[in-house]
Amino acid sequence: MSCPAERRLRKELLELLTNPMPGIYIDEEKVAKNINEWIVTIEGAEKTIYEGETFQLQFSFNEKYPFDSPTVLFIGKIPVHSHIYSNGHICLSILTDDWTPALSVGAVCLSIRSMLSSATKKERPPDDMIYTRTCSKNPKKTKWFFHDDTV
Amino acid sequence: MNINCVICSDLFIPADSVFSTQCGHIFHHACLIQWMERKKDCPQCRQKCTERSIFRIYFNTTNLDSSINSANLIQTVDNLTFKVREQDISLRKIEEERRKLEENLQTKEKKIKSLDASVSHFNQVISTMKHERDMLTNQRMNYKVIEAENLELKAKLNLLQTIESIMTASQKEIDDIMRQNLSSKDLTMMLGALRRELNNTESRKNELRRQLQTVRNDLRSEQEERKRLEDELSKLESENHLILNKIKHVKSDQNIAPIEDCDTPEVVKKSRQAFLKMDSQNTPSPLNAEEFNKRIQNIQDSNSPYFKVKKTSIGLAPILKNPKQQKRSLTRPSSKDVAKLSIFKKPRLAHDSFPKLSSDIFYNGIGGTSKILQSDLTTNSHELSKDYP
């Protein structure tokens, strides 16, 4: 059969499709083409500053998943948030240092959604300009300094 | 036993080596070791854990086979469900494609229909155009024919003009024209025209000849008439002569100077009256009789084609029929004979069917008769009325 990473991804996909989470939609066609590249659409939660807005997240998995964390970034329209850079990179600990194999796509989406929901004003991170100029394409290679541990 | 390892998400089966952390979370041994190579904490609660702190746990299952089966089955079902989903997706895609193609087909069909309609429309237009073209071609042909006719007629006209000029022109001019027109067709046409003209002239000539003939006939009839009249005149003259002789005779008898050649009607009348008075004593002189006979002979010897007509004519008929009797009557002319010869009598008096009158009855010289015997006037009148109704 397929490798363990793929098997787990399939199970996650099946789980998300059979029991969909509110405000999180998976681009099934894209996933069917390539199980290692997911496009997930998340809606801004009700009664938050992102209500009515939708954003797209791109998940990229490698063969070491779930021991390796997936690469997650916003594509298309980037939400204005103090932890999200204008190039789509997300400053979120569970995507790097705090990743555990017990986490899943659904858990990550949920975390990001709650992160968006907890914001009170739309603003870019303070080092947005410098970071976007200097950072690597892969957010996982960034050595993050997590300013806010509340999330 | 639907318990799974959160790392690989596979269900635990009794055969697996399952390890628990100190915090009580259980994983496959392989999964946990692989994770602990990276990070020495529990994947679920992040508590510190080392390879020494983890320990193996064992499951006590009652029905080993069924549990294995159920785990395997769930996995298989999961795989199959996933596959079904994939198939569904592809099916949906195909469906979508089909729909699109159908739409495309419909639009194409519509297009085809519209194109068909336009094609038929154009076909109609083409057919009408063809019809028009045919009509125009026919017209053009007609025009051509007319043009040709026109040319022909022009040529004919020219020819006729030349012919006309030839007819009126002098010999020298004709020669000039002949030198110009050497086309055989023209010449034949000219010839035909000339022949026609000749025929016309011929017919006119014939007509004139006919007229001449009729005129000649008329003349002849007139001449005959004249001859007849002359004959009549001669007859009258002879009569006149006879009468004159009688008158002479009577005059000589009565010692009256003879009247010579009295041509006036009054004299003739008088002489006739006198003659009638002396009716019974009439004796013509032999000389006069001879002259009379000579005249008759002349008439008979005449070459005139009207002799026969004369023969049947009133005056001469009795004389010619019976010349001997005539002679006798000339020598001793009776009142009956005189009446027969007279031109004053009606023609039927000279007819053979004339009833023979008795010797008692005498002509009175004015168309009636009278009896000498005056015994019965009524019978006499009766007879008169009977003879001359």
Side-chain angles (χ1 to χ4, degrees):
Chain A
M1 223 173 143
S2 52
C3 69
E6 208 168 297
R7 242 171 44 225
R8 192 189 134 142
L9 281 171
R10 268 195 203 170
K11 281 190 181 182
E12 277 189 51
L13 182 61
L14 208 60
E15 179 62 27
L16 282 170
L17 291 173
T18 45
N19 304 306
M21 294 160 76
I24 292 162
Y25 310 101
I26 291 146
D27 188 341
E28 225 180 314
E29 280 184 41
K30 195 88 190 273
V31 177
K33 273 183 191 168
N34 183 7
I35 195 79
N36 294 320
E37 291 283 339
W38 290 33
I39 302 289
V40 181
T41 306
I42 58 167
E43 280 179 351
E46 285 176 28
K47 292 168 188 173
T48 66
I49 54 168
Y50 300 102
E51 191 181 341
E53 290 180 78
T54 57
F55 309 104
Q56 283 196 318
L57 281 168
Q58 182 186 281
F59 285 76
S60 304
F61 306 94
N62 59 23
E63 67 277 10
K64 284 173 186 161
Y65 184 79
F67 304 105
D68 250 7
S69 67
T71 308
V72 182
L73 49 97
F74 277 105
I75 54 162
K77 186 191 166 191
I78 314 296
V80 180
H81 189 269
S82 55
H83 294 160
I84 299 163
Y85 290 93
S86 53
N87 60 0
H89 289 193
I90 305 157
C91 177
L92 187 63
S93 61
I94 60 161
L95 294 177
T96 48
D97 299 356
D98 287 345
W99 170 257
T100 76
L103 289 169
S104 64
V105 174
V108 170
C109 288
L110 208 61
S111 295
I112 290 166
R113 200 160 177 246
S114 71
M115 185 185 83
L116 287 171
S117 301
S118 64
T120 50
K121 57 177 178 181
K122 289 184 178 180
E123 56 173 13
R124 292 281 178 214
D127 55 342
D128 185 50
M129 293 275 274
I130 303 154
Y131 175 76
T132 50
R133 250 182 255 161
T134 57
C135 75
S136 153
K137 269 195 176 179
N138 191 345
K140 277 170 82 176
K141 288 181 179 165
T142 308
K143 181 85 181 148
W144 296 102
F145 295 97
F146 302 105
H147 329 287
D148 189 1
D149 289 335
T150 55
V151 185
Chain B
M1 197 172 76
N2 297 329
I3 302 158
N4 68 344
C5 165
V6 290
I7 295 168
C8 66
S9 75
D10 281 344
L11 287 167
F12 291 120
I13 55 168
D16 289 337
S17 65
V18 180
F19 275 71
S20 173
T21 57
Q22 280 190 314
C23 51
H25 296 111
I26 54 169
F27 310 96
H28 284 122
H29 182 248
C31 299
L32 190 57
I33 292 299
Q34 204 175 340
W35 171 242
M36 283 206 294
E37 281 171 11
R38 298 169 166 254
K39 224 173 179 184
K40 306 262 188 246
D41 59 10
C42 171
Q44 270 183 310
C45 66
R46 299 180 204 270
Q47 272 195 31
K48 285 268 179 197
C49 67
T50 59
E51 279 169 42
R52 290 186 180 205
S53 68
I54 61 167
F55 51 89
R56 184 170 180 172
I57 58 166
Y58 303 92
F59 303 114
N60 209 14
T61 54
T62 47
N63 197 340
L64 202 85
D65 290 337
S66 71
S67 67
I68 293 165
N69 282 349
S70 75
N72 283 337
L73 280 174
I74 284 165
Q75 206 163 324
T76 331
V77 166
D78 282 353
N79 282 332
L80 288 173
T81 321
F82 189 75
K83 267 187 189 168
V84 164
R85 282 202 157 262
E86 275 185 335
Q87 293 296 325
D88 273 354
I89 288 160
S90 61
L91 189 72
R92 232 176 292 157
K93 267 165 74 182
I94 287 162
E95 198 82 13
E96 184 78 10
E97 230 166 273
R98 193 186 63 94
R99 206 167 51 76
K100 273 182 190 169
L101 285 171
E102 264 180 9
E103 273 174 20
N104 208 354
L105 189 72
Q106 274 179 359
T107 52
K108 288 273 157 68
E109 270 175 0
K110 272 182 192 168
K111 218 177 195 177
I112 283 165
K113 263 183 192 170
S114 67
L115 284 172
D116 271 349
S118 59
V119 161
S120 65
H121 172 73
F122 279 125
N123 273 340
Q124 234 173 331
V125 169
I126 282 164
S127 67
T128 51
M129 289 285 190
K130 268 184 186 167
H131 192 71
E132 236 168 80
R133 193 198 61 188
D134 287 353
M135 264 169 58
L136 286 172
T137 340
N138 279 349
Q139 270 185 5
R140 207 184 58 184
M141 296 243 288
N142 285 343
Y143 281 137
K144 267 188 182 169
V145 167
I146 287 162
E147 230 175 53
E149 272 175 22
N150 198 10
L151 278 175
E152 212 173 299
L153 287 172
K154 263 186 191 169
K156 236 179 222 178
L157 189 69
N158 271 335
L159 196 64
L160 287 173
Q161 273 172 354
T162 43
I163 288 161
E164 205 183 351
S165 62
I166 282 165
M167 295 221 181
T168 54
S170 65
Q171 184 62 41
K172 203 178 175 186
E173 280 169 333
I174 289 163
D175 286 346
D176 286 347
I177 289 157
M178 290 308 281
R179 246 171 258 135
Q180 282 165 20
N181 294 325
L182 284 169
S183 148
S184 63
K185 197 182 165 190
D186 286 0
L187 282 173
T188 46
M189 274 197 74
M190 225 183 272
L191 194 67
L194 285 169
R195 197 171 284 161
R196 264 203 304 284
E197 194 68 23
L198 187 67
N199 281 341
N200 284 343
T201 323
E202 200 86 24
S203 63
R204 230 179 298 152
K205 201 181 83 181
N206 283 342
E207 181 68 30
L208 285 171
R209 198 171 277 167
R210 260 201 305 282
Q211 276 178 11
L212 186 68
Q213 193 67 39
T214 51
V215 166
R216 233 176 238 169
N217 282 348
D218 285 353
L219 183 67
R220 199 171 294 161
S221 61
E222 289 298 321
Q223 275 173 350
E224 281 162 13
E225 184 71 19
R226 209 190 78 190
K227 229 171 216 176
R228 195 177 62 83
L229 286 170
E230 267 173 4
D231 286 343
E232 235 164 76
L233 186 68
S234 65
K235 205 165 64 185
L236 284 173
E237 264 174 7
S238 66
E239 207 171 300
N240 194 16
H241 208 82
L242 201 75
I243 289 161
L244 277 176
N245 280 343
K246 269 182 189 172
I247 288 165
K248 252 184 206 170
H249 190 72
V250 167
K251 268 182 183 172
S252 64
D253 279 359
Q254 293 181 350
N255 295 322
I256 294 163
I259 300 155
E260 281 182 23
D261 262 43
C262 294
D263 287 341
T264 51
E266 234 178 280
V267 175
V268 171
K269 234 184 221 176
K270 274 180 189 171
S271 62
R272 189 176 292 146
Q273 275 168 358
F275 170 69
L276 287 169
K277 275 174 193 167
M278 305 303 295
D279 205 23
S280 53
Q281 302 165 19
N282 267 350
T283 38
S285 66
L287 210 154
N288 277 340
E290 260 174 39
E291 199 182 340
F292 188 71
N293 282 341
K294 206 187 270 175
R295 281 189 187 185
I296 286 163
Q297 197 63 43
N298 278 344
I299 290 159
Q300 277 175 331
D301 293 341
S302 154
N303 284 329
S304 168
Y306 305 99
F307 177 71
K308 276 182 181 172
V309 178
K310 260 323 190 219
K311 215 170 169 182
T312 53
S313 75
I314 308 144
L316 284 173
I319 306 165
L320 294 170
K321 266 186 178 172
N322 206 349
K324 276 181 183 174
Q325 197 188 333
Q326 185 65 34
K327 264 183 187 171
R328 202 174 56 225
S329 70
L330 280 171
T331 49
R332 267 193 305 114
S334 66
S335 61
K336 196 171 93 184
D337 290 332
V338 170
K340 268 182 187 174
L341 288 169
S342 172
I343 58 159
F344 300 107
K345 302 293 172 199
K346 285 182 181 176
R348 63 189 175 104
L349 288 178
H351 206 263
D352 287 341
S353 64
F354 190 81
K356 295 222 170 174
L357 296 170
S358 65
S359 57
D360 298 337
I361 294 158
F362 292 95
Y363 292 104
N364 60 8
I366 46 166
T369 48
S370 60
K371 267 186 176 178
I372 294 169
L373 286 175
Q374 302 259 317
S375 59
D376 202 347
L377 277 164
T378 49
T379 49
N380 187 27
S381 64
H382 174 73
E383 273 195 60
L384 277 169
S385 62
K386 193 176 147 192
D387 291 337
Y388 310 104

